[in-house]
Amino acid sequence: VKATRQLKQGLIEVEGDTQPELFKAIASAVEVFDEAKCGLCGCEDILPVVRKNKDGDDFFEYQCRGLIKNQEGKTERCRAYLYLGQNKDKKAAGLFPVRALDEKGKPDRTSGKYGRHNGWTRYRGEPKPQK
Ligand SMILES: [Zn+2]
C-alpha cells in the first residue's frame, strides 16, 4: 500500500504492507520531514544537513540559514540547528528529532527539558581553551 502526504516542505510518498505499517511510515515521515521553521528565530529557510564525526558516524540535523540581529544590532546568521537522533535498531533505523535540551542547550533526550525552542539550539560544544 502506498500513500502520499502533503507536508509543509513538500509531498512525501510512503509505503507499507498493512495499514498499521503505513500509519507508522506516515507518522515517522511527518515527525522527521515536517519541520517548518527554526525554533529560535522563526525563519523558514532551514536545510537538512548530514555531517560526519571523526569516527565516520553520520550526524543528521536541520540548520537554520536565517539572519538575526545580535546584541550589538548587527546582522548575523542564526546558526541554530535541530539534532536528529537515529534508532540503533537496524530494522527500524529511523530518525527522530531530539526536542529536549539540557541547561546548556545541548540536545539531550533523557534528561533534557522541552521548551519553546522546540529542540532548536545554537549549542556547539564547550568553548575551546585559548592557546
Ligand atoms: Zn534560526
Side-chain angles (χ1 to χ4, degrees):
V1 195
K2 279 186 188 178
T4 54
R5 186 173 169 99
Q6 181 67 48
L7 304 180
K8 296 178 199 93
Q9 303 281 14
L11 204 63
I12 198 151
E13 187 178 86
V14 293
E15 276 187 52
D17 290 337
T18 61
Q19 281 190 338
E21 272 186 32
L22 197 57
F23 194 93
K24 278 187 203 166
I26 292 171
S28 173
V30 168
E31 188 183 21
V32 172
F33 296 111
D34 211 16
E35 199 66 20
K37 60 184 196 303
C38 171
L40 293 185
C41 76
C43 175
E44 293 176 11
D45 188 5
I46 58 173
L47 208 65
V49 176
V50 183
R51 298 184 298 126
K52 275 200 192 300
N53 71 2
K54 57 183 188 324
D55 299 323
D57 299 324
D58 286 331
F59 276 84
F60 301 87
E61 64 186 30
Y62 281 104
Q63 288 181 2
C64 174
R65 292 155 51 83
L67 297 172
I68 53 164
K69 289 235 189 297
N70 68 11
Q71 283 157 341
E72 288 106 56
K74 294 208 181 94
T75 302
E76 63 177 27
R77 285 225 175 272
C78 170
R79 306 185 90 92
Y81 68 97
L82 175 67
Y83 178 72
L84 296 158
Q86 188 172 11
N87 282 321
K88 293 271 189 282
D89 185 354
K90 281 278 185 289
K91 262 185 260 170
L95 298 173
F96 52 89
V98 177
R99 300 205 186 271
L101 304 175
D102 73 8
E103 68 276 7
K104 288 179 188 148
K106 188 178 176 186
D108 186 341
R109 272 174 82 201
T110 44
S111 50
K113 290 205 173 70
Y114 295 90
R116 292 207 330 235
H117 48 68
N118 214 17
W120 285 79
T121 178
R122 297 193 180 101
Y123 180 84
R124 286 288 180 190
E126 302 296 331
K128 293 205 176 68
Q130 301 286 330
K131 280 180 189 160

